[in-house]
Structure formats: structure tokens, C-alpha cells
Amino acid sequence: MSDGGFMGPPWQMDWALKAQAARDALPEHVRKIVDAARAELVTAKDPYIRGIEADAELPPTMRVEPARSTSPKGPRVLYFDTYRGWLRYIFMHRADDPQIVVEEIFWQ
């Protein structure tokens, strides 16, 4: 637990079944890239990665942005492998067990 009773990084991460199946179907070298992206996401101070230059801490091959600009606390898209792939996730901000849930993943 961090100050104030809220848990902080590293965040728990869960995968929707369809997203997990899509990840498992990727070539091994791509799964390693996805695992590196996952590691960056679960250790981020703010999993929404908000603000100006907030994703400056991410490697240059990754970027995060809202899935919809009208929903700043809604789903986010994490681009990885220099925009060859992306995963869409939501952050369930709960006091007892906050977690990131990956809803969809894609790589080309």
C-alpha cells in the first residue's frame, strides 16, 4: 500500500480472454515486445499516462493516448513496436485492488 491507503505501482494486470488468445497467437519475438510494453505500463506512476510529455518516460517505440478524446479517463491505447502494434486497456481504479485490464491487442 502506498500513502493514503491506495495501492500503487506495480499495478495488477488482467487480460480479456479474447485479448489473451490474440497475444498467445503472436510470434514469440512479438510476445517479448508485448511483455516489455506490459512492464512499462504496470510500473507507470499513472496508468492513464496523462499530461504534457507524460509518456516521455516510455521508450521511443511506445506511446499512449486516449482511445477517445472525449473520454480522458476511459480506455487508453498503448502503441508499441513503433506503431506496428497496439493494445487497448482500461484502468480499474479501486482502493482495494486497482488493476489494468487489456481488452484488445493487435500487431501487424
Side-chain angles (χ1 to χ4, degrees):
M1 290 252 186
S2 65
D3 294 335
F6 291 103
M7 296 183 70
W11 306 105
Q12 298 296 317
M13 181 180 267
D14 197 9
W15 294 75
L17 292 176
K18 190 174 180 180
Q20 182 69 49
R23 182 219 173 263
D24 293 346
L26 294 172
E28 184 176 347
H29 76 282
V30 178
R31 286 194 307 266
K32 289 181 181 180
I33 295 169
V34 170
D35 291 344
R38 177 199 176 279
E40 292 290 338
L41 191 55
V42 299
T43 58
K45 292 178 187 173
D46 176 7
Y48 290 120
I49 308 185
R50 296 174 284 202
I52 299 171
E53 298 293 320
D55 58 0
E57 295 179 12
L58 294 175
T61 60
M62 294 179 201
R63 181 172 172 84
V64 173
E65 60 187 46
R68 292 182 311 224
S69 61
T70 58
S71 183
K73 288 190 177 183
R76 308 298 267 188
V77 177
L78 169 66
Y79 296 99
F80 61 89
D81 196 16
T82 317
Y83 291 91
R84 290 188 68 195
W86 51 263
L87 57 87
R88 189 176 63 157
Y89 68 93
I90 56 171
F91 180 63
M92 309 286 285
H93 193 99
R94 300 179 293 227
D96 291 338
D97 187 25
Q99 70 177 358
I100 296 166
V101 178
V102 178
E103 298 178 321
E104 194 173 3
I105 185 168
F106 175 80
W107 183 80
Q108 60 183 352

